[in-house]
Amino acid sequence: MNSPNPSRGSILLGIAIAVGLHLALTGVSVAGMTAIGAASSFVLGPVLAIGLVQWVYVVPAAIILYRRGSTQTMKGLLIAAGITVMINLACTGVVFGMLGSSLH
Amino acid sequence: MTFPVTFQVFGLSLSAHAPLELLAWVAGFLVARWDRRRTPDPVDAETRSSLLVASVFGAIAGGWLVHVVHELPRRGDLGSALLGKSIVGGLLGGTLAVEWWKKRQGVTRRTGDALVLALCVSIAIGRVGCFLAGLGDHTAGTPTSLPWGVDFGDGVTRHPTQLYEVLFVLALGLALRFPRRLPEGARFDLFLLGYLAFRLVIDFWKPEPTMLGLAGTQWAALVGILWRAPWLVRTLRV
């Protein structure tokens, strides 16, 4: 599963790309937070709703990888994106204790 | 211990739930890799990766649907019932998605055995996160006077049902390591049926809203048992 294949890529690379893109989003949000001098839901919203927001960059990245034939890398990206949705689904509301999210 | 357990990140309170859940996924991935080195995979790498994608998205759909069904009686309105997920629903949705994809692709080998230990480890770590999240996670048990009862911050000592589940899945994972000559697929079926049966029982010790006597997750567990038990019977007969 993790052997890099020049034509198909690797799962781990796809996961790494997803993590890198998430960190970039977080970096932009933190930079915005610093620039305005306080926490703001407008700035933090993209990070707290990352399970939704991520598709803005994950879908184009997946299309690019597919067209290049890097199907394994694309799958790694999608797996990481799916796991991001699951983590975000239960944890967003708990951060501020405002929304009643839960895990059963 | 004060509940919920939180970490301070950039001046914000972050529930311990999120990092523990992330750790659960990473640990599951590492355990699955380690396990695959010991036992040959019945499918090739590309098929395995496609199955993983199917299982993840099936788990999202199943986990969310069962959560909504479970929460509706408590919340009363669809809007506030939308945020969350269910492990029972995730396992069932993931399994269903994999079986659907395999049927479409003509894959006849049973592919779940390789993930049993990884799933047990992931669930155990995730449930520790649920325990640390306290009452807001809606996974704590009913009041009890037993000596191991836990006060999650409201003055009521409750069954730490999350920890009961941690002990159960770890024991299940270990128990399923030992029988070496099980037919292909039996290990996964035993894991799934064992976990669903556990949830069907343990959820009676959670203060959950019920519909006709069972909570949403219990109904889902029951449906899962009825769906999967014939699979195990067929597998063991081969």
Side-chain angles (χ1 to χ4, degrees):
Chain A
M1 180 168 83
N2 298 323
S3 303
N5 180 318
S7 63
R8 297 197 177 92
S10 86
I11 295 280
L12 277 181
L13 178 59
I15 292 172
I17 290 172
V19 171
L21 290 170
H22 291 346
L23 287 174
L25 173 69
T26 307
V28 165
S29 286
V30 169
M33 204 168 75
T34 308
I36 64 173
S40 158
S41 59
F42 176 73
V43 173
L44 286 178
V47 175
L48 294 177
I50 193 169
L52 280 177
V53 171
Q54 65 168 347
W55 299 107
V56 170
Y57 48 83
V58 165
V59 170
I63 292 171
I64 290 169
L65 289 167
Y66 180 76
R67 285 184 176 166
R68 285 187 177 178
S70 297
T71 51
Q72 290 292 80
T73 310
M74 179 195 71
K75 289 175 193 174
L77 179 76
L78 291 174
I79 288 167
I83 290 171
T84 302
V85 170
M86 283 197 260
I87 293 174
N88 195 208
L89 207 52
C91 300
T92 300
V94 183
V95 173
F96 292 114
M98 289 190 299
L99 299 172
S101 68
S102 52
L103 171 67
H104 299 288
Chain B
M1 182 180 271
T2 306
F3 294 92
V5 174
T6 58
F7 306 123
Q8 293 297 312
V9 178
F10 298 113
L12 299 168
S13 278
L14 177 68
S15 169
H17 197 299
L20 265 289
E21 187 165 343
L22 181 60
L23 179 63
W25 284 105
V26 172
F29 180 75
L30 293 173
V31 168
R33 276 190 71 183
W34 170 78
D35 218 5
R36 253 173 13 101
R37 288 193 183 127
R38 292 158 42 92
T39 319
D41 201 335
V43 294
D44 59 55
E46 205 155 331
T47 302
R48 176 59 70 185
S49 58
S50 295
L51 290 175
L52 279 175
V53 174
S55 66
V56 165
F57 284 90
I60 291 170
W64 182 76
L65 275 168
V66 171
H67 165 80
V68 171
V69 167
H70 182 90
E71 283 292 316
L72 267 176
R74 187 205 315 273
R75 312 280 179 146
D77 65 285
L78 187 61
S80 61
L82 290 180
L83 204 66
K85 61 184 187 288
S86 159
I87 293 180
V88 168
L91 285 173
L92 291 174
T95 305
L96 197 60
V98 163
E99 298 298 347
W100 170 79
W101 190 93
K102 278 163 56 177
K103 194 166 184 181
R104 274 195 63 176
Q105 300 296 320
V107 176
T108 55
R109 297 292 297 272
R110 300 292 306 277
T111 52
D113 291 353
L115 297 177
V116 167
L117 189 61
L119 285 167
C120 290
V121 169
S122 285
I123 292 171
I125 296 174
R127 279 306 190 200
V128 172
C130 292
F131 174 75
L132 297 177
L135 289 174
D137 201 63
H138 297 296
T139 52
T142 49
T144 181
S145 56
L146 291 170
W148 56 81
V150 174
D151 179 357
F152 288 98
D154 64 346
V156 177
T157 310
R158 298 172 186 277
H159 284 285
T161 44
Q162 310 97 329
L163 301 184
Y164 297 165
E165 189 167 330
V166 169
L167 292 173
F168 174 79
V169 291
L170 290 178
L172 183 62
L174 278 172
L176 291 175
R177 297 294 289 172
F178 287 106
R180 292 197 167 268
R181 297 180 61 87
L182 285 173
E184 185 176 90
R187 211 174 301 269
F188 180 79
D189 286 337
L190 285 167
F191 155 74
L192 185 60
L193 288 167
Y195 182 79
L196 293 176
F198 173 79
R199 288 299 303 271
L200 184 58
V201 171
I202 199 65
D203 280 21
F204 284 116
W205 275 270
K206 294 181 187 174
E208 301 299 320
T210 58
M211 298 172 287
L212 299 176
L214 297 179
T217 47
Q218 290 176 297
W219 280 112
L222 191 57
V223 168
I225 290 168
L226 292 172
W227 168 46
R228 210 66 189 181
W231 283 65
L232 178 63
V233 170
R234 275 200 301 273
T235 303
L236 291 176
R237 273 189 186 157
V238 169

